[in-house]
Amino acid sequence: MPKAIRVEQYGGPETMKWTEVDLGKPGANQLRLRQTAVGVNFIDIYFRTGMYKAPEGLPFTPGSEAAGVIEEVGEGVTGFAVGERVVYQGVLGSYAEARLVPAERCVKLPEDIDDKTAAAVFLKGVTVHSLLFRTFPVTKGTTLLWHAASGGVGVIACQWATALGATVIGTVGSAEKAALAKKNGAAHVINYREEKFVDRVKEITGGKGVDVVYDSVGKDTFPGSLDCLRPLGMWVSFGAASGPPPEFTASMLQQKGSLFATRPTIVHYLSKRPDLETAAHGLFDVLRAKKVAVEIGQEFALSAAADAHKALESRKTTGSTVLLP
């Protein structure tokens, strides 16, 4: 039988156990995949700790994205065949050697994109596509602040936003991470351990502030993120690596410049198949054009997923992290 990581109770990395699972045959509209590379994302930690509850309850298999090869096709599936390579995101349970997955959430992989790259970039890449094209449409002339600019999502966003003609200001926590953000297109990099990011953003923008702040950090960057915005600017809170930001009143947005605030999730942005296809092929296009290059900073055996979580939580990772079955 194939093996998978199972979480039997919410908590720390030690709650993840490597165990055999009874997979069975694919049901209607499902594919059975032999997985070749699994992506690691901060949302996996949210599920493991119980910040987000697993829909199936306990125990569950964490993970939201992977690439693999189709081993079997369920009844009613069209457009997919045994032996084809696919990638998916947003379907809990990817920390596994093999699994069943809804066909409608899978996208065929082009021949020129390998499995490790796909697993490292897919969830992050379609997230960045949604944030840059739909949450706040970034164009030539946009000035934006991206927190955690050296992380898996950040390095993709810096490259992609720069390719669109935006000026990217990134925040990081070390000189090494500053160099990585700079390498990936950030025009200005702020080490928040050495500088006050609000003061530095005001200095860089001549006191005007930025058009949009993309914030996956949460508690530690609030309300500073709001103070970096120009009047009518938008705060995009799409994660909470340091914990959720505190509750705030709508009047705070008015007082700080009639600001906009949103908490997007690709569960809603990519719920329809055409939107998933658009985001996926937009990502494939910038990868092919070499406007976005994937930085795989760490690789772990799938059985050592707990070590990957420890590294991610301690903010010792750069770029993307993949698990290899």
Side-chain angles (χ1 to χ4, degrees):
M1 288 194 297
K3 286 189 172 182
I5 296 290
R6 298 290 281 171
V7 174
E8 297 184 354
Q9 62 182 33
Y10 295 120
E14 71 282 354
T15 62
M16 298 192 293
K17 307 299 182 184
W18 183 238
T19 185
E20 289 186 339
V21 291
D22 185 7
L23 191 57
K25 298 180 72 64
N29 302 312
Q30 285 187 324
L31 302 174
R32 175 174 169 137
L33 302 183
R34 173 178 57 81
Q35 304 206 122
T36 52
V38 178
V40 177
N41 300 278
F42 224 95
I43 192 173
D44 305 346
I45 292 172
Y46 298 159
F47 276 108
R48 191 206 71 218
T49 60
M51 180 184 293
Y52 292 174
K53 301 300 182 185
E56 68 185 59
L58 294 167
F60 71 95
T61 296
S64 298
E65 70 174 332
V69 178
I70 299 173
E71 291 188 316
E72 198 170 348
V73 175
E75 182 181 355
V77 172
T78 59
F80 294 98
V82 172
E84 289 182 328
R85 298 163 54 244
V86 298
V87 65
Y88 67 88
Q89 60 77 35
V91 186
L92 195 65
S94 67
Y95 286 17
E97 292 178 323
R99 71 166 303 186
L100 305 177
V101 64
E104 66 175 8
R105 304 316 298 168
C106 293
V107 176
K108 291 182 186 179
L109 272 175
E111 291 184 3
D112 52 356
I113 297 177
D114 66 86
D115 293 18
K116 280 203 296 187
T117 297
V121 75
F122 195 62
L123 175 56
K124 301 172 186 69
V126 296
T127 296
V128 171
H129 182 278
S130 299
L131 293 173
L132 296 183
F133 288 88
R134 298 179 65 190
T135 305
F136 184 99
V138 170
T139 60
K140 184 176 181 180
T142 299
T143 300
L144 64 90
L145 174 64
W146 198 288
H147 289 302
S150 67
V153 175
V155 296
I156 296 168
C158 287
Q159 294 175 77
W160 206 334
T162 299
L164 291 171
T167 298
V168 179
I169 304 170
T171 67
V172 298
S174 71
E176 178 188 10
K177 292 184 176 184
L180 183 60
K182 197 80 172 178
K183 173 186 171 184
N184 284 285
H188 308 276
V189 183
I190 303 166
N191 184 339
Y192 61 80
R193 298 187 189 278
E194 298 177 353
E195 301 177 288
K196 293 181 178 180
F197 73 84
V198 175
D199 293 344
R200 187 75 180 96
V201 166
K202 292 294 180 66
E203 180 183 341
I204 292 167
T205 61
K208 295 179 181 178
V210 298
D211 300 305
V212 57
V213 175
Y214 293 100
D215 189 347
S216 63
V217 176
K219 179 169 65 72
D220 289 354
T221 49
F222 189 87
S225 289
L226 300 183
D227 295 326
C228 292
L229 288 166
R230 61 161 171 79
L232 310 185
M234 178 179 286
W235 175 54
V236 181
S237 173
F238 69 100
S242 67
E247 293 184 4
F248 62 96
T249 62
S251 63
M252 179 184 286
L253 300 177
Q254 176 262 321
Q255 293 163 4
K256 291 182 178 292
S258 296
L259 305 177
F260 296 86
T262 184
R263 180 60 172 92
T265 170
I266 58 171
V267 171
H268 300 132
Y269 276 64
L270 303 181
S271 62
K272 297 178 181 178
R273 179 74 188 183
D275 292 329
L276 174 60
E277 291 275 2
T278 296
H281 290 290
L283 173 62
F284 297 156
D285 286 346
V286 292
L287 291 173
R288 283 198 197 92
K290 302 189 183 306
K291 293 179 179 179
V292 171
V294 180
E295 178 84 23
I296 300 178
Q298 303 75 217
E299 295 181 8
F300 295 85
L302 177 57
S303 58
D307 292 333
H309 277 219
K310 291 174 186 175
L312 190 60
E313 285 182 292
S314 64
R315 301 191 186 184
K316 293 180 179 178
T317 62
T318 57
S320 296
T321 300
V322 295
L323 305 174
L324 301 177

